[in-house]
Amino acid sequence: MSQPATAYEVVIGLEVHAQVATASKMFCPCPATYAGAAPNTHVCPICLGMPGVLPVMNRDAVEKTLLFALALGCTIPHDSKFDRKNYPYPDLMKGYQISQYDMPFSVNGHLDVDLPDGTVKRVGVTRVHLEEDTAMLRHESGAGGERYSVVDVNRAGSPLMEIVSEPDMRSPEEARRYLEMLREILRYTGVSRANMEEGNFRCDANISLRRFGAPQYGTKVEIKNMNSFRSVQMALEYEVRRQSEMLDRGEQITQETRGWLEAERRTVSQRSKEQAHDYRYFPEPDLPPVRPAAAWIEQLRVTVPELPQTKRHRFVEQYGLSAYDANLLSTPRARAEFFEQTIAIAGAARAKQVSNWLLGDIARLQNAHGQEFEHITIAPAQVAELIDLVERRVLNSTTAKAVLERIYTSGGSPTAAASDLGLVSAPAAGLDALLATVIAANPRAVTDFRGGKANAVQALVGAVMRETRGTADAAQVRELLLEKLARD
Ligand SMILES: [Zn+2]
């Protein structure tokens, strides 16, 4: 990744918003699964912000937030509470957002980021807290060209986790890698779908530059409106160039919020950054403080799954896989689990074969069927059986692929599918008779071979393969022919 040469140290911190995957919204019973629904169909007086209604906390959202915080090694304080963050904006139905200000659910975590050069960078996580999402505005034009906006309240009140990092990242690439690994953990823990394109995983970036060795941070700029990992990296790279050029000219950086214009590949000033006191935070009077019991926290702690990074290292050590294969196998979680379930049946000695099937033909079929791994139509026992059939030379690499395709679409056991497809190779006894026939029918090749032309045996192998319609194992046939020719 090309880094612009600069005399400045780049300092980046990220704020990520991830929607928590719950059945209902944060403070009302409306279904939180509104994707694709007609506008304003998942609403009630609470999320519409009607006067006189009372919010009720969604336990599942709190629990998932705590689980995720524990996965990041956060401390869970004994006391936490919700606050009102006041600001007037048309997407905020109540005129305030229920969020967490000075007593969040968790603090002081970290994420160990694997960098492409093989090193690991620890990025501090300041806090993970919970709040409610806002409604969505759509800006449209009328027939006469007049501009207007419409509001869809379906998203309002969905549980939203905010994950704030320390300003520990030192390049746009580190920031991108942090985001990728954060998303992996969100998905592994089942806490969020974490899909940037669907809008349930969003990122704002803070970036400042300072001369190397300077004791204080430079003035930071916040960047918004990035809707892919790639655009986060590009926006940050753009800002590194823009800010270093300004500093080179002796200009001051303005503290502000800038928007990323994807089509133009640049950031533009949106507004000067609000200070915290602009929001006039105060404790939410309609919700009790939250004091998670120690026993509850411990219960959650043991349900934190083995994280992808740990799994990757274990796959390399335990099964002798390459770092590259271990990396691919570790996500999504369903594939990592499929891998180990298959090994539980086939044995650890076959880890490489299991990995090859999963990353090769099974991945190809999965793509061809447009399936997520969670929904693939094949089971570990089938893959283990397929590997066994290949190992016992009942199937060769070509016929095994055909069997895989059959069981992938029609189910059933590989043995039955092989026999249905007429792909079971000739039994050893039948094969022996066939070899004798082929040797008798090809005296010229036999003479050539005995006369020292070692390659002549290939003609005989070819003849056997034709007779068995490709079901025999060519390597085995060659071996048996060599034995037979030496003996007879
Ligand atoms: Zn509602």
Side-chain angles (χ1 to χ4, degrees), residues 25 27-31 42-48 156:
K25 291 187 183 179
F27 299 115
C28 67
C30 290
H42 288 43
V43 295
C44 72
I46 296 173
C47 54
L48 281 167

Side-chain angles (χ1 to χ4, degrees), residues 97-138:
Q97 178 189 30
I98 302 181
S99 180
Q100 295 191 287
Y101 182 46
D102 54 347
M103 293 170 69
F105 279 139
S106 70
V107 294
N108 292 336
H110 62 263
L111 181 62
D112 287 329
V113 180
D114 291 324
L115 298 176
D117 65 2
T119 58
V120 175
K121 168 78 174 265
R122 175 161 288 196
V123 174
V125 171
T126 318
R127 58 193 277 164
V128 178
H129 77 237
L130 191 54
E131 57 191 32
E132 56 177 340
D133 210 342
T134 59
M136 278 169 81
L137 295 180
R138 221 172 47 237

Side-chain angles (χ1 to χ4, degrees), residues 435 438-439 442-466 474-486:
L435 296 187
V438 165
I439 287 172
N442 293 276
R444 172 92 188 266
V446 175
T447 312
D448 285 351
F449 177 76
R450 295 214 162 110
K453 285 189 186 167
N455 276 341
V457 76
Q458 277 314 117
L460 300 173
V461 173
V464 174
M465 294 308 286
R466 271 195 302 283
Q476 185 194 19
V477 166
R478 187 185 153 84
E479 226 171 87
L480 291 173
L481 276 168
L482 290 174
E483 256 174 50
K484 215 171 172 53
L485 288 167

Side-chain angles (χ1 to χ4, degrees), residues 23 27 30 52-53 186 189 194 207 238 254 297 327 379 403:
F27 299 115
C30 290
V53 296
L186 282 164
T189 48
I207 175 167
Y238 176 86
T254 317
I297 303 296
N327 189 27
V403 167

Side-chain angles (χ1 to χ4, degrees), residues 298-483:
E298 289 320 304
Q299 239 172 35
L300 286 172
R301 199 188 297 281
V302 297
T303 64
V304 173
E306 181 182 36
L307 298 181
Q309 194 173 34
T310 317
K311 235 186 240 305
R312 282 197 278 278
H313 294 142
R314 187 168 61 75
F315 282 1
V316 170
E317 285 181 13
Q318 193 172 341
Y319 304 119
L321 297 180
S322 69
Y324 183 80
D325 287 354
N327 189 27
L328 291 175
L329 281 173
S330 67
T331 55
R333 186 177 169 184
R335 174 151 66 188
E337 286 173 352
F338 192 108
F339 170 68
E340 292 208 280
Q341 283 160 7
T342 310
I343 282 177
I345 304 166
R350 297 189 182 75
K352 184 63 187 160
Q353 286 101 303
V354 177
S355 164
N356 287 347
W357 279 108
L358 278 173
L359 299 178
D361 289 283
I362 293 174
R364 182 176 53 75
L365 287 170
Q366 184 200 338
N367 287 336
H369 288 82
Q371 288 167 322
E372 306 229 5
F373 198 92
E374 288 74 3
H375 305 124
I376 65 161
T377 45
I378 191 167
Q382 291 170 298
V383 176
E385 188 180 331
L386 190 63
I387 289 170
D388 181 58
L389 291 173
V390 173
E391 204 147 272
R392 290 195 287 114
R393 300 190 161 179
V394 176
L395 295 176
N396 61 31
S397 62
T398 312
T399 54
K401 277 180 211 278
V403 167
L404 175 70
E405 290 197 15
R406 164 63 75 96
I407 59 174
Y408 199 94
T409 46
S410 313
S413 88
T415 308
S419 133
D420 280 358
L421 293 167
L423 291 177
V424 178
S425 68
L431 191 58
D432 196 55
L434 179 60
L435 296 187
T437 313
V438 165
I439 287 172
N442 293 276
R444 172 92 188 266
V446 175
T447 312
D448 285 351
F449 177 76
R450 295 214 162 110
K453 285 189 186 167
N455 276 341
V457 76
Q458 277 314 117
L460 300 173
V461 173
V464 174
M465 294 308 286
R466 271 195 302 283
E467 289 297 321
T468 60
R469 299 189 321 282
T471 63
D473 180 311
Q476 185 194 19
V477 166
R478 187 185 153 84
E479 226 171 87
L480 291 173
L481 276 168
L482 290 174
E483 256 174 50

Side-chain angles (χ1 to χ4, degrees), residues 65-122:
T65 301
L66 293 175
L67 177 78
F68 184 71
L70 289 169
L72 294 183
C74 289
T75 303
I76 312 293
H78 297 299
D79 277 294
S80 49
K81 66 173 169 66
F82 284 101
D83 300 277
R84 287 190 183 182
K85 180 181 181 178
N86 299 278
Y87 64 97
Y89 200 71
D91 67 4
L92 205 54
M93 305 317 290
K94 300 189 290 285
Y96 61 84
Q97 178 189 30
I98 302 181
S99 180
Q100 295 191 287
Y101 182 46
D102 54 347
M103 293 170 69
F105 279 139
S106 70
V107 294
N108 292 336
H110 62 263
L111 181 62
D112 287 329
V113 180
D114 291 324
L115 298 176
D117 65 2
T119 58
V120 175
K121 168 78 174 265
R122 175 161 288 196

